[in-house]
Amino acid sequence: MKIYIEVNGQKKVYDVAPDEYLLDTLREDNFYSIKRGCDNSSCGVCTVLMDGKAVQSCTLLSVKADGHKITTIEGYQDEAKKLSEHFGHQGADQCGYCNSSLALTVHAMKDEIVKPTNKDIKEYLVGNLCRCTGYEAQHRAIKLCLEDDE
Amino acid sequence: MKVVNHALPSIDGKGLMMGKKAYTDDLSEPKSLIVKVLRSPHPYAKIVKIDTAKAEALDGVELVLTYKDFDRRPFTRAGQGYPEPSPHDKFVLDNYVRYIGDEAAAVAAIDVKTAEKALKLIEIEYEVLEPVLDFETAFENEILVHTEPEIHDMFPIGFDPKKNLAASYHMHVGDVTKSLEESEVIIEESFYTQAQAHVMLEPHNVNARVDYQGRLVIYSSTQTPIHVRRIISQALDYPLSKIRVIKPRVGGGFGGKQAIHGEMFVATVTLKTGKPSKMMYTRKEVFESSYSRHPMRFDIKLGSTKDGVLKAIDCWVVSDTGAYGEHALTVFMVAAAKVFPLYNKVDSVRFHGNVVYTNHTPAGAYRGYGAIQGNFALESSIDMLCHKLKIDPVEFRQKNMIKETETSPIFKIMGEGTEGIEMFMESCKLDYCVKRGSELVKWKEKYPRKELGNSKVKGVGMAIAMQGSGIPYIDMAAATIKLNDDGFYNLMIGATDIGQGSDTILAQIAAEALGTTLDKVIVYSSDTDLTPYDTGAYASSTTYVSGNAVLKAGKEMRQMIIDEAAKVFEVNPEDVEYDGVVLKSKDKEITLKDLSNRLFYNEDQKQLQITSSYYGTKSPPPFMAGFVEIDVDKETGEVDIIDYVSIVDCGTTINPMLAKGQVEGGIVQGIGMAMYEEVLYTKKGKLVTNDMMNYRIPTRREINNLTTEFADSYEESGPYGAKSVGEIGIDTPPAALANAVYNAVGVRITTLPITPEKILMAIKEKEKGEK
Ligand code: FES
Ligand code: FES
């Protein structure tokens, strides 16, 4: 069946199966920033924003996205670049598999919380798992990036 | 130094965060056949009949593979050098299945749905066999996991499938029975370590195509592309020269991608059909059908004098390798080889035991393998000894542990799967690490405990650890440096970046040697057709072994450039001054840019390129001291980790920030293993923890504070003084946390993970005993 989604500001039409997940629809369309990690909403690497809110595309049926606005990090390249500068300086880069979705979730957090505290940041990003970094360097980088914005 | 020992940003982080095409699945061919595997529902069974007709008849199914499609050519998936120290005990497909999740058949179809439907149409009649599920009774059990006549070891490793032995081992120094008899104080305890899952966020992933030259080209999310090529060639009897393996960006490995996973299937499908194919493990398959850390039991005995001089270590170990013997011996040996030399002043050591087959998901390589298990057993029992002796654990270690310039007889006796080599510690700042760590954690103030009121107690605990830096005389790495016009370089390395940052730090080493900046070194790594040999990313070898190869190549390239300038100036090379940008001799000068353009286009034309190789003649250990501060709730057994202090001696840090990331990532995985991660099976051998809801890894919430520092250290044999840093971080948390729990609430947890339930139960029991 046909669904109409606006992806990163571009109108798209996808022909999807009723049991197809958005993760597959978008990866099929070469949105490489969205990764597959766990298949059951527990790792966060497939995160996209639906109408500005972070959702896990591995368990979101594509038909449910019909008529909505989807954003991926491909839509916020400058922001990703900026966060990655801080990641670079803090040594927060490792395998990078969690990075795009993390950047996107940080964006959503900024929209939702003004001046998030350390605790806010941890809680907001708790669903974005990372197996490589131990989180410490990511946190330093995210905090510095938020300070930069001020 | 201008580039090395500087915290430069990684060379690839930006593109990855921006979501560029980089990982294995991003690079699969459009319309690839989807390969799916039918997995055994039984822990042990014989396939009596297999009928694929219905599956083959399904529209969209291209191919169905069963054991009948493969010659009986056993191999090991382990992903090691050749000949492997692991038994060749695996067939691509066999008529026996040996664990729930083992491969019974495979299909290739036009899409996932069709492939999954086809799996359901394969009809298999199993003769279900009684499995071996308890590793402590597997040895000489009447049920044998492997009875195939073709399987074999490559050289003696104690392999004896008639006794369910994948490997066995014995070593001793001195007379341990006698030293124990003579010891005034004895500690005797058994410790259990559990299976831990890697949970790298990118699942195993591989795809294949035949290119326009008729060559089989495989992209694989692997740590060992060169071994993968060799193993495919041997197992499928297909010419090595017709296979190209490329490792793209990898989303984490931690040892989990050292072995072969779907490679045999995509290779077979693509060779048989001529069509591109791909396979991506579901998370369930990653848990159930790849491998995890070897569970082990340690029976350990320590002997010491009254005043705290450690005299003897005696240790018997049983290790569970599951259904296949990948890394059976190597992991086992490391449990002593990279742990026991910490206490090098003992009179005697004995270390022996068995690695047994069971009908569980296989065990295999996982960051810190063997060392984390051995460290938990030894460093826990050392603390027990300290308590019995009433000696501060920090002081005990300061007195008994290995120091700079010293050695241990174990280095010579034990390597990884083979004999080791004699080594003296040219760099060992363990004494500094212990001192600095105890200052930072405020040991003197906080040891052993402090009541916080309302049922909470604060405790501190510590442990020391060591690793290696590659496998001497076995691991070889090579690096090629090519000078391009305009004076920039390509660095081609076989070394395998799996997220640990090796492309960046090897480029830093090259840039330093060449006297240039990081942006002038363009790196290509891990393509078996284009990059030179490297064993791959394992055994903490990359910084030390590959780094030395890069350093050598860099120095030689620099000399080649000077030689060329000397010709231009018509002087001796010794008379050329070079700062990496401009070459000078008296009043003449030429920039590297002009020289390289001249070499390409104008005069005395040639390509400057050099390949250098390196293999270690020793494996200098990095060392660390880990200190942890925890709050324990006596009423719930709940533990809050307040701070984990790591002081690491890894020689020079090529990139201090990335090195820190390696340590901290390791610490957090170690905390996971220590506190809650556990691969669990039902009594019938079915994996319970087969998704990320049931198998929890640490989240941001659990990690409060990590304090990580490096000792000022320089390893003469390392590139710019560096040793390895990839594994050392994972080793200390289990013992340090067990020791902290003891210090806080007086109970000794000897079975990992240290869950609140275990702590609470032990507290209750202790209270009962006291009453
Ligand atoms: S893949 Fe969607 S949350 Fe893990
Ligand atoms: S960097 Fe590898 S999962 Fe986060």
mmCIF file of all heavy atoms in Angstrom, chain B residues 178-187 302-312 385 388-389:
data_model
loop_
_atom_site.group_PDB
_atom_site.id
_atom_site.type_symbol
_atom_site.label_atom_id
_atom_site.label_comp_id
_atom_site.label_asym_id
_atom_site.label_seq_id
_atom_site.Cartn_x
_atom_site.Cartn_y
_atom_site.Cartn_z
ATOM 1 N N LYS B 178 54.679 -28.750 47.947
ATOM 2 C CA LYS B 178 55.635 -28.485 49.019
ATOM 3 C C LYS B 178 55.491 -27.040 49.519
ATOM 4 O O LYS B 178 55.410 -26.803 50.729
ATOM 5 C CB LYS B 178 57.053 -28.736 48.488
ATOM 6 C CG LYS B 178 58.086 -28.796 49.569
ATOM 7 C CD LYS B 178 59.377 -29.471 49.057
ATOM 8 C CE LYS B 178 60.568 -28.948 49.844
ATOM 9 N NZ LYS B 178 61.332 -27.917 49.141
ATOM 10 N N SER B 179 55.427 -26.074 48.610
ATOM 11 C CA SER B 179 55.319 -24.681 49.095
ATOM 12 C C SER B 179 54.035 -24.470 49.866
ATOM 13 O O SER B 179 54.017 -23.694 50.817
ATOM 14 C CB SER B 179 55.377 -23.621 48.011
ATOM 15 O OG SER B 179 55.865 -24.029 46.825
ATOM 16 N N LEU B 180 52.965 -25.137 49.457
ATOM 17 C CA LEU B 180 51.718 -24.973 50.208
ATOM 18 C C LEU B 180 51.852 -25.570 51.603
ATOM 19 O O LEU B 180 51.385 -25.002 52.579
ATOM 20 C CB LEU B 180 50.543 -25.594 49.451
ATOM 21 C CG LEU B 180 50.003 -24.761 48.275
ATOM 22 C CD1 LEU B 180 49.021 -25.565 47.426
ATOM 23 C CD2 LEU B 180 49.351 -23.464 48.741
ATOM 24 N N GLU B 181 52.497 -26.722 51.672
ATOM 25 C CA GLU B 181 52.728 -27.345 52.978
ATOM 26 C C GLU B 181 53.523 -26.431 53.902
ATOM 27 O O GLU B 181 53.272 -26.345 55.089
ATOM 28 C CB GLU B 181 53.503 -28.650 52.794
ATOM 29 C CG GLU B 181 52.592 -29.869 52.675
ATOM 30 C CD GLU B 181 53.381 -31.096 52.198
ATOM 31 O OE1 GLU B 181 54.618 -31.160 52.444
ATOM 32 O OE2 GLU B 181 52.752 -31.955 51.558
ATOM 33 N N GLU B 182 54.471 -25.776 53.301
ATOM 34 C CA GLU B 182 55.350 -24.916 54.099
ATOM 35 C C GLU B 182 54.711 -23.564 54.427
ATOM 36 O O GLU B 182 55.214 -22.840 55.276
ATOM 37 C CB GLU B 182 56.668 -24.675 53.348
ATOM 38 C CG GLU B 182 57.558 -25.901 53.315
ATOM 39 C CD GLU B 182 58.690 -25.762 52.293
ATOM 40 O OE1 GLU B 182 58.844 -24.670 51.711
ATOM 41 O OE2 GLU B 182 59.397 -26.767 52.080
ATOM 42 N N SER B 183 53.637 -23.226 53.734
ATOM 43 C CA SER B 183 53.027 -21.906 53.931
ATOM 44 C C SER B 183 52.335 -21.820 55.280
ATOM 45 O O SER B 183 51.701 -22.772 55.728
ATOM 46 C CB SER B 183 52.007 -21.616 52.833
ATOM 47 O OG SER B 183 52.650 -21.492 51.606
ATOM 48 N N GLU B 184 52.439 -20.651 55.909
ATOM 49 C CA GLU B 184 51.824 -20.481 57.219
ATOM 50 C C GLU B 184 50.338 -20.157 57.112
ATOM 51 O O GLU B 184 49.552 -20.449 57.997
ATOM 52 C CB GLU B 184 52.558 -19.379 57.997
ATOM 53 C CG GLU B 184 53.962 -19.814 58.383
ATOM 54 C CD GLU B 184 54.896 -18.635 58.610
ATOM 55 O OE1 GLU B 184 54.825 -17.651 57.862
ATOM 56 O OE2 GLU B 184 55.694 -18.721 59.541
ATOM 57 N N VAL B 185 49.979 -19.527 56.035
ATOM 58 C CA VAL B 185 48.566 -19.171 55.843
ATOM 59 C C VAL B 185 48.113 -19.656 54.465
ATOM 60 O O VAL B 185 48.828 -19.502 53.472
ATOM 61 C CB VAL B 185 48.359 -17.644 55.936
ATOM 62 C CG1 VAL B 185 46.888 -17.297 55.824
ATOM 63 C CG2 VAL B 185 48.941 -17.097 57.237
ATOM 64 N N ILE B 186 46.940 -20.271 54.442
ATOM 65 C CA ILE B 186 46.421 -20.823 53.193
ATOM 66 C C ILE B 186 45.031 -20.244 52.926
ATOM 67 O O ILE B 186 44.229 -20.086 53.843
ATOM 68 C CB ILE B 186 46.274 -22.367 53.301
ATOM 69 C CG1 ILE B 186 47.612 -23.045 53.602
ATOM 70 C CG2 ILE B 186 45.615 -22.956 52.063
ATOM 71 C CD1 ILE B 186 48.477 -23.327 52.409
ATOM 72 N N ILE B 187 44.776 -19.965 51.681
ATOM 73 C CA ILE B 187 43.418 -19.602 51.262
ATOM 74 C C ILE B 187 42.995 -20.618 50.221
ATOM 75 O O ILE B 187 43.771 -20.941 49.314
ATOM 76 C CB ILE B 187 43.394 -18.190 50.641
ATOM 77 C CG1 ILE B 187 43.549 -17.112 51.701
ATOM 78 C CG2 ILE B 187 42.124 -17.946 49.830
ATOM 79 C CD1 ILE B 187 42.386 -16.995 52.648
ATOM 80 N N LEU B 302 46.028 -20.412 47.659
ATOM 81 C CA LEU B 302 47.178 -19.530 47.810
ATOM 82 C C LEU B 302 47.884 -19.865 49.108
ATOM 83 O O LEU B 302 47.240 -20.204 50.097
ATOM 84 C CB LEU B 302 46.738 -18.059 47.882
ATOM 85 C CG LEU B 302 45.937 -17.483 46.729
ATOM 86 C CD1 LEU B 302 45.629 -16.009 47.008
ATOM 87 C CD2 LEU B 302 46.705 -17.623 45.423
ATOM 88 N N GLY B 303 49.188 -19.766 49.130
ATOM 89 C CA GLY B 303 49.946 -19.956 50.360
ATOM 90 C C GLY B 303 50.843 -18.762 50.593
ATOM 91 O O GLY B 303 51.433 -18.230 49.653
ATOM 92 N N SER B 304 50.909 -18.322 51.857
ATOM 93 C CA SER B 304 51.796 -17.197 52.137
ATOM 94 C C SER B 304 52.409 -17.331 53.520
ATOM 95 O O SER B 304 51.976 -18.157 54.332
ATOM 96 C CB SER B 304 51.041 -15.876 52.027
ATOM 97 O OG SER B 304 50.572 -15.436 53.281
ATOM 98 N N THR B 305 53.386 -16.487 53.781
ATOM 99 C CA THR B 305 53.950 -16.432 55.123
ATOM 100 C C THR B 305 53.017 -15.591 55.998
ATOM 101 O O THR B 305 52.150 -14.896 55.484
ATOM 102 C CB THR B 305 55.340 -15.755 55.114
ATOM 103 O OG1 THR B 305 55.170 -14.404 54.703
ATOM 104 C CG2 THR B 305 56.287 -16.472 54.170
ATOM 105 N N LYS B 306 53.251 -15.625 57.313
ATOM 106 C CA LYS B 306 52.425 -14.856 58.251
ATOM 107 C C LYS B 306 52.507 -13.360 57.981
ATOM 108 O O LYS B 306 51.571 -12.620 58.189
ATOM 109 C CB LYS B 306 52.929 -15.076 59.690
ATOM 110 C CG LYS B 306 52.492 -16.339 60.341
ATOM 111 C CD LYS B 306 52.490 -16.192 61.864
ATOM 112 C CE LYS B 306 53.862 -15.911 62.469
ATOM 113 N NZ LYS B 306 54.793 -17.040 62.576
ATOM 114 N N ASP B 307 53.699 -12.948 57.578
ATOM 115 C CA ASP B 307 53.846 -11.508 57.377
ATOM 116 C C ASP B 307 53.563 -11.076 55.945
ATOM 117 O O ASP B 307 53.965 -9.995 55.507
ATOM 118 C CB ASP B 307 55.222 -11.031 57.864
ATOM 119 C CG ASP B 307 56.333 -11.891 57.289
ATOM 120 O OD1 ASP B 307 56.027 -12.874 56.570
ATOM 121 O OD2 ASP B 307 57.508 -11.575 57.540
ATOM 122 N N GLY B 308 52.869 -11.932 55.203
ATOM 123 C CA GLY B 308 52.335 -11.468 53.924
ATOM 124 C C GLY B 308 53.267 -11.559 52.738
ATOM 125 O O GLY B 308 53.258 -10.694 51.872
ATOM 126 N N VAL B 309 54.059 -12.627 52.671
ATOM 127 C CA VAL B 309 54.813 -12.866 51.435
ATOM 128 C C VAL B 309 54.141 -14.041 50.718
ATOM 129 O O VAL B 309 54.081 -15.145 51.255
ATOM 130 C CB VAL B 309 56.300 -13.188 51.729
ATOM 131 C CG1 VAL B 309 57.051 -13.449 50.424
ATOM 132 C CG2 VAL B 309 56.935 -12.055 52.522
ATOM 133 N N LEU B 310 53.631 -13.763 49.527
ATOM 134 C CA LEU B 310 52.921 -14.801 48.776
ATOM 135 C C LEU B 310 53.927 -15.831 48.280
ATOM 136 O O LEU B 310 54.950 -15.493 47.700
ATOM 137 C CB LEU B 310 52.185 -14.168 47.590
ATOM 138 C CG LEU B 310 51.237 -15.091 46.815
ATOM 139 C CD1 LEU B 310 50.064 -15.530 47.687
ATOM 140 C CD2 LEU B 310 50.718 -14.399 45.553
ATOM 141 N N LYS B 311 53.627 -17.108 48.521
ATOM 142 C CA LYS B 311 54.592 -18.165 48.207
ATOM 143 C C LYS B 311 54.125 -19.082 47.081
ATOM 144 O O LYS B 311 54.929 -19.592 46.321
ATOM 145 C CB LYS B 311 54.833 -19.021 49.464
ATOM 146 C CG LYS B 311 55.676 -18.327 50.505
ATOM 147 C CD LYS B 311 57.093 -18.189 49.975
ATOM 148 C CE LYS B 311 58.019 -17.551 50.989
ATOM 149 N NZ LYS B 311 59.300 -17.202 50.341
ATOM 150 N N ALA B 312 52.820 -19.344 47.025
ATOM 151 C CA ALA B 312 52.362 -20.352 46.072
ATOM 152 C C ALA B 312 50.971 -20.020 45.521
ATOM 153 O O ALA B 312 50.118 -19.507 46.235
ATOM 154 C CB ALA B 312 52.317 -21.713 46.744
ATOM 155 N N LEU B 385 43.085 -13.439 51.318
ATOM 156 C CA LEU B 385 44.329 -13.672 52.037
ATOM 157 C C LEU B 385 44.682 -12.451 52.895
ATOM 158 O O LEU B 385 45.053 -12.584 54.065
ATOM 159 C CB LEU B 385 45.438 -13.977 51.025
ATOM 160 C CG LEU B 385 46.835 -14.269 51.560
ATOM 161 C CD1 LEU B 385 46.834 -15.520 52.430
ATOM 162 C CD2 LEU B 385 47.827 -14.444 50.407
ATOM 163 N N LYS B 388 42.646 -12.385 55.991
ATOM 164 C CA LYS B 388 43.099 -13.382 56.947
ATOM 165 C C LYS B 388 44.388 -12.926 57.631
ATOM 166 O O LYS B 388 44.578 -13.128 58.825
ATOM 167 C CB LYS B 388 43.329 -14.707 56.204
ATOM 168 C CG LYS B 388 43.276 -15.911 57.107
ATOM 169 C CD LYS B 388 43.008 -17.168 56.300
ATOM 170 C CE LYS B 388 43.033 -18.401 57.164
ATOM 171 N NZ LYS B 388 42.885 -19.633 56.378
ATOM 172 N N LEU B 389 45.247 -12.294 56.845
ATOM 173 C CA LEU B 389 46.530 -11.830 57.383
ATOM 174 C C LEU B 389 46.397 -10.496 58.119
ATOM 175 O O LEU B 389 47.343 -10.026 58.731
ATOM 176 C CB LEU B 389 47.527 -11.633 56.233
ATOM 177 C CG LEU B 389 48.007 -12.858 55.472
ATOM 178 C CD1 LEU B 389 48.679 -12.450 54.169
ATOM 179 C CD2 LEU B 389 48.988 -13.642 56.336
#
